[in-house]
Amino acid sequence: MNGFEQLWTTVAKTRDGEQVSPELRPLLRCVHDDVLTNPIDLPALKNSLVHLLQYLTGAGRTNANCWAADMFFCSDDWEHDRAEQNLPDDFHEVLSKMGEALHDTVTNPEIASNFGCLPEQLLKGAERLEP
């Protein structure tokens, strides 16, 4: 099983009876692949981050999806894979924040907001990235 498939299997869990949406998988896959491309294509990574966060801001804003995305970005496997890349600090910051309190978006939005981890806050950060 490759890195993405292993991560996906770990995070695509039902949360409080709610399934992770199948639309989340290709969005996470794009971010994963764009981060690990060598040499890294920063415009493509920015684009994949923006698309993922637009989804989580709109139709994909579910508890299960936000938990899955958060767990994906805070995974030790993901951290190890990402550490191999020399990402600019602003890209690193957006990716790191996605693994902090994004999981609180639906059930405790005030906590996610306090940490700057609501999807719309993260989307603004992604849109400001300079590739």
Side-chain angles (χ1 to χ4, degrees), residues 52-116:
L52 170 62
L53 291 165
Q54 286 172 333
Y55 176 70
L56 292 175
T57 300
R61 189 187 196 103
T62 68
N63 194 39
N65 287 347
C66 290
W67 267 95
D70 187 307
M71 291 176 64
F72 183 88
F73 289 105
C74 75
S75 161
D76 289 340
D77 292 331
W78 169 254
E79 289 290 332
H80 178 267
D81 290 346
R82 197 176 77 209
E84 303 294 319
Q85 297 294 3
N86 290 321
L87 291 173
D89 288 344
D90 53 346
F91 278 81
H92 178 72
E93 183 178 332
V94 170
L95 289 164
S96 293
K97 282 192 150 308
M98 291 175 75
E100 288 179 11
L102 180 60
H103 66 274
D104 285 314
T105 295
V106 174
T107 57
N108 296 296
E110 64 285 349
I111 293 173
S113 176
N114 187 51
F115 285 96

Side-chain angles (χ1 to χ4, degrees), residues 2-130:
N2 72 28
F4 176 80
E5 294 302 325
Q6 186 171 355
L7 276 168
W8 176 253
T9 300
T10 303
V11 304
K13 306 285 185 205
T14 301
R15 177 77 48 196
D16 298 327
E18 182 180 67
Q19 302 257 339
V20 173
S21 303
E23 296 84 6
L24 182 63
R25 183 181 183 158
L27 295 167
L28 286 175
R29 175 64 167 231
C30 283
V31 173
H32 178 270
D33 292 352
D34 287 342
V35 166
L36 298 182
T37 299
N38 194 4
I40 195 158
D41 182 347
L42 293 176
L45 176 56
K46 175 183 178 177
N47 189 48
S48 63
L49 283 167
V50 166
H51 284 121
L52 170 62
L53 291 165
Q54 286 172 333
Y55 176 70
L56 292 175
T57 300
R61 189 187 196 103
T62 68
N63 194 39
N65 287 347
C66 290
W67 267 95
D70 187 307
M71 291 176 64
F72 183 88
F73 289 105
C74 75
S75 161
D76 289 340
D77 292 331
W78 169 254
E79 289 290 332
H80 178 267
D81 290 346
R82 197 176 77 209
E84 303 294 319
Q85 297 294 3
N86 290 321
L87 291 173
D89 288 344
D90 53 346
F91 278 81
H92 178 72
E93 183 178 332
V94 170
L95 289 164
S96 293
K97 282 192 150 308
M98 291 175 75
E100 288 179 11
L102 180 60
H103 66 274
D104 285 314
T105 295
V106 174
T107 57
N108 296 296
E110 64 285 349
I111 293 173
S113 176
N114 187 51
F115 285 96
C117 296
L118 286 171
E120 54 271 15
Q121 292 171 308
L122 293 166
L123 176 60
K124 285 181 184 176
E127 290 172 337
R128 286 192 299 263
L129 292 171
E130 294 290 329

